[in-house]
Amino acid sequence: MNRKTLVLPAVVGLLTPVLAACGGSDSGSSSSDAIVVGTTDGFTATKDAPAPIDPAYSYDVGGWNILRQTVQTLMSQPKGEGDPVPDAAESCSFTDSGSERYACKLREGLKFSDGNAVTAEDVKWSIERALRIKSDSGVYGLLTNIDTIETQGDREVVFHLKTADATFPYKLSTPVAGILNPKDYEKDKLRDGFDIDGSGPYTFKAAVKNDELVSATFTKNPNYKGSVKVNNEQVVLRSYKDAAAMGEAIDKGDIDVMTRSMSPAQINKLDAGTDKNVNLVEMSGLEIRYLGFNTDAPSVKAKAVRQAMAQVVNRDELVSKVYGQQAEPLYSLVPASITGHSNAFFNKYGDPSVAKAKSLLTAANITTPVKLTMHYTTDHYGPATKQEFEVLRQQLNDSGLFDVSIEGTPWSTYQTAERKGAYDVYGMGWFPDFPDADNFLAPFLDKDNFLKSPYVNNRIINTLIPESRREADRASATGSLNEIQDDVATDVPVLPLWQGKQYVAARDDITGVAYALNSSASLQLWELGRGSSS
């Protein structure tokens, strides 16, 4: 078999959950061995971010990929795609016609990993803790529509919402809504470092050096009761400094699975099928990349400057030069495969045009070239990020309308600097909390948005977002969602660039790889197992 890539459609739930393998494996591992997974995600405890994996703080894909294995939520995203399903809960549902009262009943006999019972009061305490702490990551914004939480006995929890929200079941599937043991966490303070305790599929032990997590060991939790079947006894997640080091590890057999983020060159090499022992799985993804703007910063405060950048940027060229077939141009914050998507930026700006951009700046009396710095993170979104920003810089500078420089910063410093407004223009990625258009719009535009953006659009906040959330049939929310996207294209508080596919590479004796990631880029380590190669 020459081509080793298994391409999965958006609804992977229709496929058999085993990666078809070809050729033998030289790993020599027995079925009792821990499965070792590599990642380039870094986990560092710093002065500004001392609690990187506390559910009340963590709001990046790497941290959530640790928490989803260990901290249980009432609801969870199912294997494949679809509406969230009960996990810690036995059942959950809206109990009114207006989507403002949501009731859940816990599974009977639910326990934390230490054997203590999980109660409705623990659920209430955990969610109220996140809302009370209000960490600067902004993750608590997912829960701010909760008005009050009441408990009825040990197993029933009722959420009273401020306004209708058909997406609330999805929000209860995110780690910020994770159920914590009050004896392990303080109610009004984050838990520093790398300790986690919960009732999820695995227990967790971190190996830490110089305040950095080197590896994480996930061991099957015998007390877990929930919706997933755990197909292994232990998984070790190892963090590598870059894609090259991770690639060497899988070549040597030091790791069994390679996840985000591989380089475009690595993906192309594996796609060619030159390694008989490693398969590449291509999956539909919802990752997006965009430029964010501090709309109070002098260099980009004028809307015309941001509009001119939107008019000049050539997404087709950017994707072609940097990512090839591994990404697609994106003309909205909402990916093309999500209900409610519109090509708002293309509808407004059409094809790239220096002449149109110049007219925008001239009409606003903006002196050219506009001087600004674009910032990017060097170690969080993959090794091609620097090249991406080099292409963007060249496009803008070649127009003669801009004088752009670029600057890269490690993620441990970058994320806190962005939240403090240190950057005028900055590159970010977004891996959705859940696969709904609301989650590609509200986190950027609503009150308490995670970017800490000074941009405020009261029509979006007070009218359009609430209107869209009233619609349980998400297709019926398209009108409001399209209006939000049109406003974003007009005001350009963010500039969408592309949406990407996602990939996992695995050695031939590893099964379940087709489900190792869901469309939101969430790791599902429980799906992995060892089996005979075919």
Side-chain angles (χ1 to χ4, degrees), residues 124-345:
K124 180 177 186 289
W125 184 91
S126 301
I127 292 176
E128 288 181 342
R129 173 180 181 266
L131 289 167
R132 184 184 303 110
I133 290 174
K134 286 190 175 182
S135 71
D136 64 3
S137 70
V139 68
Y140 70 94
L142 287 166
L143 304 175
T144 52
N145 194 34
I146 296 174
D147 186 15
T148 60
I149 307 172
E150 66 171 300
T151 61
Q152 299 174 359
D154 286 340
R155 293 178 57 200
E156 295 188 34
V157 187
V158 181
F159 298 91
H160 299 275
L161 308 183
K162 298 172 184 175
T163 59
D165 186 1
T167 70
F168 188 67
Y170 282 106
K171 293 171 182 175
L172 288 182
S173 75
T174 63
V176 69
I179 307 168
L180 306 177
N181 192 334
K183 78 178 186 64
D184 297 317
Y185 293 81
E186 296 184 44
K187 69 177 182 179
D188 54 5
K189 183 180 181 297
L190 294 172
R191 185 178 183 178
D192 293 352
F194 297 96
D195 291 324
I196 307 172
D197 294 280
S199 57
Y202 295 97
T203 61
F204 174 83
K205 184 176 181 180
V208 180
K209 182 178 181 180
N210 298 325
D211 293 323
E212 290 188 21
L213 187 148
V214 178
S215 67
T217 300
F218 299 93
T219 302
K220 187 176 180 179
N221 176 11
N223 289 321
Y224 170 72
K225 288 187 176 182
S227 61
V228 305
K229 177 185 177 184
V230 182
N231 294 318
N232 54 68
E233 293 298 320
Q234 194 171 81
V235 178
V236 175
L237 184 69
R238 290 183 186 166
S239 181
Y240 289 88
K241 65 178 181 178
D242 54 39
M246 183 170 63
E248 289 178 8
I250 202 167
D251 287 343
K252 293 177 182 178
D254 292 339
I255 61 176
D256 300 296
V257 181
M258 186 161 61
T259 60
R260 63 178 307 272
S261 294
M262 290 178 266
S263 71
Q266 283 176 320
I267 293 169
N268 288 335
K269 179 182 177 182
L270 288 167
D271 186 44
T274 55
D275 188 336
K276 67 179 182 179
N277 297 315
V278 178
N279 285 334
L280 180 71
V281 182
E282 175 189 304
M283 307 171 182
S284 174
L286 297 176
E287 171 191 7
I288 68 169
R289 297 286 177 85
Y290 60 93
L291 293 179
F293 297 95
N294 178 352
T295 53
D296 281 348
S299 65
V300 293
K301 186 172 185 177
K303 180 167 63 175
V305 173
R306 306 192 301 270
Q307 290 176 325
M309 292 178 70
Q311 187 66 76
V312 168
V313 167
N314 187 329
R315 294 170 178 80
D316 287 323
E317 179 185 63
L318 175 67
V319 168
S320 176
K321 284 187 173 182
V322 182
Y323 297 102
Q325 299 299 314
Q326 298 160 25
E328 298 175 353
L330 181 64
Y331 295 92
S332 169
L333 284 172
V334 181
S337 55
I338 293 289
T339 299
H341 161 83
S342 75
N343 286 317
F345 275 79

Side-chain angles (χ1 to χ4, degrees), residues 408-444:
T409 306
W411 180 249
S412 58
T413 301
Y414 186 87
Q415 60 177 330
T416 51
E418 181 278 315
R419 289 172 189 152
K420 293 178 179 178
Y423 305 142
D424 294 7
V425 187
Y426 51 91
M428 293 284 278
W430 179 250
F431 300 84
D433 309 324
F434 51 87
D436 186 276
D438 178 86
N439 194 241
F440 290 91
L441 297 171
F444 302 88

Side-chain angles (χ1 to χ4, degrees), residues 95-107:
T95 58
D96 66 335
S97 59
S99 299
E100 293 182 358
R101 187 181 189 275
Y102 196 74
C104 293
K105 185 174 183 179
L106 295 178
R107 293 177 187 268

Side-chain angles (χ1 to χ4, degrees), residues 67-79 83-93 102-111 118 123 155 169-170 172-175 177-179 198-202 221 223-230 523-524 526-527:
L67 290 171
R68 288 189 187 277
Q69 322 306 316
T70 52
V71 178
Q72 195 173 17
T73 47
L74 290 170
M75 304 291 286
S76 65
Q77 295 183 33
K79 180 159 62 177
D83 294 334
V85 298
D87 189 22
E90 178 181 280
S91 61
C92 286
S93 63
Y102 196 74
C104 293
K105 185 174 183 179
L106 295 178
R107 293 177 187 268
E108 188 171 3
L110 204 65
K111 295 179 181 180
V118 176
V123 176
R155 293 178 57 200
Y170 282 106
L172 288 182
S173 75
T174 63
I179 307 168
S199 57
Y202 295 97
N221 176 11
N223 289 321
Y224 170 72
K225 288 187 176 182
S227 61
V228 305
K229 177 185 177 184
V230 182
L523 271 177
Q524 301 177 141
W526 52 83
E527 296 292 345

